[in-house]
Amino acid sequence: MAKSDSISMSVIRRLPRYYRFLSELEEKNVDKISSTKLAKIMNVTASQVRQDLNCFGGFGQQGYGYSVTYLKEEIKRLLGLNNNYQAILIGAGNLGKAVAMHMNFEKLGIHLTACFENDPQKIGDKINDLSVLSESDLEMYCNSHTVDTAFLCIPRTGVENIIDKLYLLGIKNYWNFSHYDITSKYSDTLVENVHLSDSLMTLCYKMNNLNS
Amino acid sequence: MAKSDSISMSVIRRLPRYYRFLSELEEKNVDKISSTKLAKIMNVTASQVRQDLNCFGGFGQQGYGYSVTYLKEEIKRLLGLNNNYQAILIGAGNLGKAVAMHMNFEKLGIHLTACFENDPQKIGDKINDLSVLSESDLEMYCNSHTVDTAFLCIPRTGVENIIDKLYLLGIKNYWNFSHYDITSKYSDTLVENVHLSDSLMTLCYKMNNLNS
């Protein structure tokens, strides 16, 4: 299967949804699915499904449809969910706790191995089976453990304060819940920004324009 | 400016980002901006910017660019952020607390007026200046207050248990953090689902495919 830097982000952003829906189909013991049916679940056109999957080399057979498990496993591989990524969490406030407790990281093949916080009152707290560590232990931890990515569950100013340290420790992949623009400072980082307000504004748009 | 049901969701989903970037430009006292510069900030092509904004009737003048404040205000109006929407929060766990405390609802013109919970240990807690109410008070509250939308910060089974009640109380717009599929049960609802795992999988894709 082809790997390509030229695949558009809008195709890439649909891959997790394919993965999610295919996982649900697999749980329901569905063996195979046509592009038409998959399109209906995904709320896109069948031609879009075929185009999307062709970006990665196909996976379907004319007149047969897609094997659910095969397609799911291929997308899983594309998404790097077999890579055993090791992650740390920065911030043990409500957001950090919610992210750590709400998400099923293991299902995504990700291991959350440590959590750091600079509020002395939160250090030592338990999140799942992790004890919250002090941010002053960050350097020692990162020097003795593999850390593929950091989840930044702190406000913009917090990220501003800690980003140089993380970058110098070699962490260049971020799941960023703050509004701090990391790539404008460090262009060789990979960042996925979560803007919850964008999602809420989309709901407002629907309420404003689509309500009967 | 034209309102249309035929505008694609991918255009609509870019509106909040336009709004966010235009708000930042306005804060920096930028008066006007060309489609080329706006495209660069948005990380799309200039032709995409023009196409997107043409869906809503334009707003630009050939050779002049866009007035930042005018465009921001028009998008704000399109997004319904002037509508004083009244919202309630269902769930006062870590996720509900994080959402309530992390988001600047007032900036989006949304008023979070009450928060409900069925865990007796959490009832009476303070979130911002709201006291967490019991879910048993939901009916009384909704019958005496305007509620435009509910933010569902509870697990899938929790939504399954409460959705009929909310729907019967006339609440048909949901910001849904659970994986429960509301529209498949009630097709006349407007739902914006937040799938944090999709965002994290996108980061994994980047790490797997774009890292040098």
Side-chain angles (χ1 to χ4, degrees):
Chain A
M1 192 175 38
K3 248 192 200 182
S4 171
D5 285 359
S6 63
I7 295 165
S8 84
M9 272 313 293
S10 48
V11 177
I12 293 165
R13 287 197 183 283
R14 276 193 291 274
L15 285 180
R17 290 183 60 220
Y18 283 111
Y19 182 72
R20 200 150 40 79
F21 289 125
L22 288 164
S23 300
E24 284 175 18
L25 288 168
E26 195 185 39
E27 277 166 28
K28 289 178 193 156
N29 295 316
V30 177
D31 276 349
K32 56 180 188 170
I33 189 161
S34 65
S35 50
T36 314
K37 279 196 185 150
L38 187 52
K40 206 178 160 199
I41 300 174
M42 289 280 295
N43 201 18
V44 295
T45 64
S47 125
Q48 180 82 77
V49 167
R50 287 189 294 267
Q51 266 180 45
D52 283 354
L53 300 179
N54 276 336
C55 289
F56 303 100
F59 319 115
Q61 211 177 311
Q62 195 75 35
Y64 174 87
Y66 299 100
S67 153
V68 169
T69 298
Y70 173 71
L71 185 54
K72 192 208 81 175
E73 288 300 322
E74 286 297 297
I75 291 178
K76 184 177 184 178
R77 204 165 59 82
L78 265 173
L79 289 170
L81 306 185
N82 293 322
N83 295 359
N84 283 314
Y85 288 129
Q86 311 286 307
I88 59 171
L89 176 69
I90 309 290
N94 287 309
L95 184 63
K97 278 185 187 144
V99 164
M101 296 166 83
H102 177 75
M103 297 282 303
N104 190 342
F105 293 119
E106 297 298 322
K107 205 175 169 184
L108 305 179
I110 293 168
H111 307 286
L112 183 65
T113 61
C115 172
F116 297 88
E117 171 61 53
N118 64 8
D119 176 353
Q121 293 220 299
K122 296 197 183 94
I123 296 165
D125 278 5
K126 280 273 180 190
I127 301 187
N128 302 333
D129 54 351
L130 297 176
S131 288
V132 175
L133 304 175
S134 164
E135 258 182 39
S136 59
D137 295 331
L138 187 60
E139 195 169 342
M140 199 174 65
Y141 184 88
C142 291
N143 285 333
S144 56
H145 294 79
T146 301
V147 177
D148 298 301
T149 175
F151 303 161
L152 305 177
C153 293
I154 49 180
R156 185 197 286 244
T157 48
V159 176
E160 220 170 327
N161 288 334
I162 204 174
I163 194 69
D164 297 329
K165 200 175 186 182
L166 291 168
Y167 185 85
L168 284 173
L169 288 167
I171 303 175
K172 296 188 177 177
N173 306 311
Y174 300 102
W175 196 27
N176 179 27
F177 283 78
S178 85
H179 284 202
Y180 183 80
D181 185 355
I182 298 171
T183 46
S184 80
K185 181 155 195 187
Y186 294 114
S187 62
D188 62 339
T189 52
L190 296 176
V191 183
E192 179 66 16
N193 294 303
V194 180
H195 289 293
L196 290 178
S197 60
D198 284 11
S199 159
L200 183 53
M201 283 192 260
T202 305
L203 176 65
C204 290
Y205 176 91
K206 291 178 184 174
M207 289 163 65
N208 192 38
N209 295 278
L210 309 181
N211 256 332
S212 45
Chain B
M1 191 175 38
K3 248 192 201 185
S4 170
D5 285 358
S6 64
I7 296 164
S8 84
M9 272 314 292
S10 48
V11 177
I12 292 166
R13 287 197 183 283
R14 276 193 290 274
L15 285 180
R17 290 183 61 219
Y18 283 110
Y19 182 72
R20 198 151 39 79
F21 289 124
L22 288 164
S23 300
E24 284 176 17
L25 288 168
E26 194 184 41
E27 278 166 27
K28 288 178 193 158
N29 295 315
V30 177
D31 276 349
K32 57 181 187 170
I33 189 162
S34 65
S35 50
T36 315
K37 279 196 185 151
L38 188 52
K40 206 178 160 200
I41 300 173
M42 289 280 293
N43 201 19
V44 296
T45 65
S47 126
Q48 179 83 78
V49 166
R50 287 188 294 266
Q51 265 180 47
D52 282 355
L53 300 179
N54 276 337
C55 288
F56 303 100
F59 319 117
Q61 211 178 312
Q62 195 75 33
Y64 174 87
Y66 299 100
S67 153
V68 169
T69 298
Y70 174 71
L71 185 54
K72 191 208 81 174
E73 288 300 321
E74 286 297 296
I75 291 177
K76 184 177 184 178
R77 204 163 60 80
L78 265 172
L79 289 169
L81 306 185
N82 293 323
N83 294 359
N84 283 314
Y85 288 128
Q86 311 286 307
I88 59 170
L89 175 69
I90 310 290
N94 287 309
L95 184 63
K97 278 185 188 147
V99 164
M101 295 166 84
H102 177 75
M103 297 283 303
N104 190 342
F105 293 119
E106 296 298 320
K107 206 175 168 183
L108 305 180
I110 294 167
H111 307 286
L112 183 64
T113 61
C115 172
F116 297 89
E117 171 61 52
N118 64 6
D119 176 354
Q121 294 220 297
K122 297 198 183 93
I123 296 165
D125 278 5
K126 280 272 181 191
I127 301 187
N128 302 332
D129 55 350
L130 297 176
S131 289
V132 176
L133 305 175
S134 164
E135 258 182 40
S136 59
D137 295 332
L138 186 61
E139 195 170 342
M140 199 174 67
Y141 184 88
C142 291
N143 286 333
S144 57
H145 294 79
T146 301
V147 178
D148 297 301
T149 175
F151 303 161
L152 306 177
C153 294
I154 48 180
R156 187 197 284 244
T157 48
V159 176
E160 220 171 326
N161 288 334
I162 204 174
I163 194 69
D164 297 330
K165 200 175 187 180
L166 290 167
Y167 185 86
L168 284 174
L169 288 167
I171 303 175
K172 296 188 178 180
N173 307 311
Y174 300 102
W175 196 28
N176 179 26
F177 283 77
S178 84
H179 285 202
Y180 183 80
D181 184 356
I182 298 170
T183 46
S184 81
K185 180 155 196 187
Y186 294 114
S187 61
D188 63 338
T189 53
L190 295 176
V191 182
E192 179 68 13
N193 294 303
V194 180
H195 289 292
L196 290 177
S197 59
D198 285 11
S199 159
L200 184 53
M201 283 192 260
T202 305
L203 176 64
C204 290
Y205 177 91
K206 292 178 183 171
M207 289 164 65
N208 191 39
N209 295 278
L210 308 180
N211 256 332
S212 44

